[in-house]
Amino acid sequence: RRGARKRMTYEEAVDLSRYQDPATIDEILRTARTIAIVGLSSKPNRPSYGVAAYLQRQGYRIIPVNPAEQEVLGERAYPSLLDVPEPIDVVDVFRRPEVTPDIARDAVAVGAKVFWLQLDIINPEAIAIAEQGGLTVIVDRCTAIEHQRWKRGT
């Protein structure tokens, strides 16, 4: 069709390399202690469960955030970030991109240090909210994969 415009993808709208800096990721993994995992499922076959179990084995404190769960990996689950009664270093998000702006607002409200969107979870509005709130933002990276890379020193 003449004059038809190709729809821009999230990846084209946002320069993701700004949010994937290996040195920044390494610093986060080295200094973080508490990771709230939004969308963490108690189903062992779900990616969120595997990542959380891995991070827990590596010594991180995992806080499940999911209103459908009571407990995951031996940790009490909370319905939202706003219900978590302790400081959060990293908010690790396993939710659909369209719901991430509200999660970013909550991450800012609770004073988290890092807003981390997992693989294929990209939302420019959520990124902007978190950045404007002073959080370090990581996008389209897996915490477990990045931790394994960091441990290898590559």
Side-chain angles (χ1 to χ4, degrees), residues 11-26:
E11 291 86 350
E12 292 166 331
V14 177
D15 176 13
L16 294 182
S17 65
R18 289 183 51 204
Y19 308 105
Q20 300 173 340
D21 176 57
T24 301
I25 291 170
D26 292 355

Side-chain angles (χ1 to χ4, degrees), residues 75-89:
E75 297 288 345
R76 177 180 171 194
Y78 296 91
S80 81
L81 288 170
L82 301 176
D83 297 306
V84 176
E86 62 188 275
I88 298 168
D89 295 320

Side-chain angles (χ1 to χ4, degrees), residues 35-48:
I35 303 175
I37 302 186
V38 180
L40 177 53
S41 171
S42 61
K43 297 175 183 165
N45 62 330
R46 302 300 296 254
S48 63

Side-chain angles (χ1 to χ4, degrees), residues 115-130:
F115 184 68
W116 189 308
L117 295 174
Q118 280 286 334
L119 294 171
D120 298 324
I121 302 173
I122 302 163
N123 184 302
E125 181 186 0
I127 293 167
I129 290 165

Side-chain angles (χ1 to χ4, degrees), residues 126-143:
I127 293 167
I129 290 165
E131 273 190 314
Q132 291 165 8
L135 279 70
T136 300
V137 178
I138 303 298
V139 179
D140 197 31
R141 288 290 181 257
C142 173
T143 45

Side-chain angles (χ1 to χ4, degrees), residues 55-149:
L55 293 172
Q56 192 178 55
R57 286 191 308 272
Q58 300 308 309
Y60 294 96
R61 164 112 165 81
I62 298 303
I63 300 175
V65 179
N66 185 334
E69 299 290 355
Q70 296 299 311
E71 184 178 290
V72 183
L73 292 166
E75 297 288 345
R76 177 180 171 194
Y78 296 91
S80 81
L81 288 170
L82 301 176
D83 297 306
V84 176
E86 62 188 275
I88 298 168
D89 295 320
V90 178
V91 173
D92 190 5
V93 182
F94 282 89
R95 295 290 316 277
R96 294 183 321 277
E98 59 269 21
V99 302
T100 59
D102 286 337
I103 299 167
R105 287 183 194 92
D106 288 352
V108 171
V110 301
K113 297 173 187 163
V114 176
F115 184 68
W116 189 308
L117 295 174
Q118 280 286 334
L119 294 171
D120 298 324
I121 302 173
I122 302 163
N123 184 302
E125 181 186 0
I127 293 167
I129 290 165
E131 273 190 314
Q132 291 165 8
L135 279 70
T136 300
V137 178
I138 303 298
V139 179
D140 197 31
R141 288 290 181 257
C142 173
T143 45
I145 292 170
E146 292 302 314
H147 187 271
Q148 291 166 6
R149 181 194 55 77

